Amino acid sequence: MKITFYGHASLGITVGGKKIIVDPYITANELAKHIDINELEADYILVTHAHGDHILDVEAIAKNTGAVIVSNAEIAGYYENKGFKVHPMNHGGSWQFDFGKVKYVNAIHSSSFPDGTYGGNQGGFVIEGEHKNIYIAGDTALTYDMKLIPLRTKLDLAILPIGSNFTMDVDDAIIASDFLECDKILGYHYDTFGYIKINHEEAKRKFYDKDKDLMLLEIGESIEL
Ligand code: NI
Ligand code: MN
C-alpha cells in the first residue's frame, strides 16, 4: 500500500492495483500549488464529510477520472443527483471493494456542504488492504469510539488530524494512538490555515517521548507500507 500526502486532509492511496483519492482539497491550498489535480488518477474518491476543505476538488477529479465517490448516504446522494458514480455507506457498515474492505466509522465533527445542503453525519474510514490496514480518521475530536477499531482490525497506520481548533490536537492524537493500538501515525489537517498551524518538531518529539512515531510528509511525498 502506497500513501501520498496531497496537503491538508487530501491523500492518494494505491492498494490492490487501484487508486484512491481521499478528501481532495488541493486547488485552493496555497501550500499545494505544485500538485496538478489533472494528473491525479483515481478509481475511487473517498469523502469523510461535506465540508469545503474536504470536497473542493471531488467533482473535477471525478469528471477527469470517472472515479466512484464513496461516502455516507447523504453525500453519495448529493453527487449521484449530479450524475456522478457513487457508493453510499453509513456508520458501522463495511463493503468489500475490488481493492480491499472499507468500513465507515464514527467521527465527532459536523458535515454540511458549503451551500448549506445536509451532508449526513461525518465519518472516517478503515481500509483493510491485501497486506496492510489503515484508519483515516477524517475531521474528528478524540473519541472513545476509536477503541472499537482494534477490536476488529489490527492497524498498521492511523492517519489522524493534529491541527487542533477544528479537530484533535497533537496531545489528543497521542491518546487516540493508544485507543487505536497503533503507534505509527501520519498527521494531517494542520498548517493549511492560520487556525491550525503547528510546530512540527514539538509534535514529533511529543510522539517520540511516548515511543510512538509521528510522520509529517511534504506535500506530494509518499510512504510505502
Ligand atoms: Ni470539517
Ligand atoms: Mn476540515
Side-chain angles (χ1 to χ4, degrees):
M1 190 184 291
K2 182 180 168 190
I3 299 168
T4 305
F5 180 54
Y6 289 122
H8 196 52
S10 311
L11 304 164
I13 301 170
T14 306
V15 56
K18 299 292 173 182
K19 306 262 190 191
I20 302 168
I21 297 288
V22 183
D23 285 0
Y25 171 83
I26 296 163
T27 53
N29 184 354
E30 290 293 320
L31 305 175
K33 284 224 173 299
H34 56 297
I35 307 296
D36 179 0
I37 61 162
N38 296 308
E39 288 177 4
L40 298 180
E41 297 174 288
D43 299 292
Y44 298 91
I45 302 171
L46 270 53
V47 180
T48 62
H49 66 294
H51 285 161
D53 60 316
H54 297 256
I55 62 146
L56 179 73
D57 298 317
V58 166
E59 293 188 20
I61 295 170
K63 269 187 196 128
N64 280 347
T65 60
V68 177
I69 299 166
V70 180
S71 191
N72 68 32
E74 290 79 8
I75 293 172
Y78 175 91
Y79 288 117
E80 188 171 37
N81 287 338
K82 292 184 166 210
F84 293 101
K85 284 185 282 182
V86 303
H87 180 107
M89 299 187 73
N90 223 323
H91 298 81
S94 302
W95 185 257
Q96 187 67 49
F97 289 88
D98 52 3
F99 59 85
K101 192 166 121 183
V102 175
K103 186 173 189 178
Y104 192 63
V105 296
N106 284 350
I108 296 184
H109 193 64
S110 57
S111 177
S112 49
F113 282 90
D115 67 4
T117 304
Y118 178 56
N121 287 320
Q122 63 290 338
F125 294 100
V126 176
I127 301 176
E128 295 185 0
E130 199 181 354
H131 306 293
K132 302 286 179 181
N133 303 324
I134 65 169
Y135 166 53
I136 302 165
D139 285 8
T140 184
L142 175 65
T143 162
Y144 247 57
D145 286 346
M146 290 169 178
K147 285 178 173 255
L148 299 173
I149 291 171
L151 297 180
R152 289 285 298 273
T153 304
K154 174 145 187 27
L155 293 174
D156 297 289
L157 177 76
I159 302 172
L160 303 178
I162 55 171
S164 197
N165 192 71
F166 301 111
T167 69
M168 287 190 283
D169 63 6
V170 168
D171 296 294
D172 277 352
I174 289 170
I175 299 169
S177 157
D178 284 334
F179 287 180
L180 295 161
E181 298 175 21
C182 178
D183 290 332
K184 198 173 164 111
I185 304 298
L186 174 62
Y188 77 168
H189 212 276
Y190 63 91
D191 282 1
T192 321
F193 326 111
Y195 293 124
I196 60 174
K197 288 218 182 342
I198 66 159
N199 180 323
H200 294 204
E201 288 318 308
E202 183 185 49
K204 285 185 194 168
R205 196 181 57 245
K206 282 180 169 180
F207 273 80
Y208 183 81
D209 287 346
K210 301 283 185 187
D211 288 324
K212 296 174 186 293
D213 181 21
L214 175 68
M215 287 175 286
L216 302 178
L217 300 179
E218 298 294 329
I219 296 175
E221 190 181 355
S222 301
I223 51 166
E224 197 84 46
L225 289 184

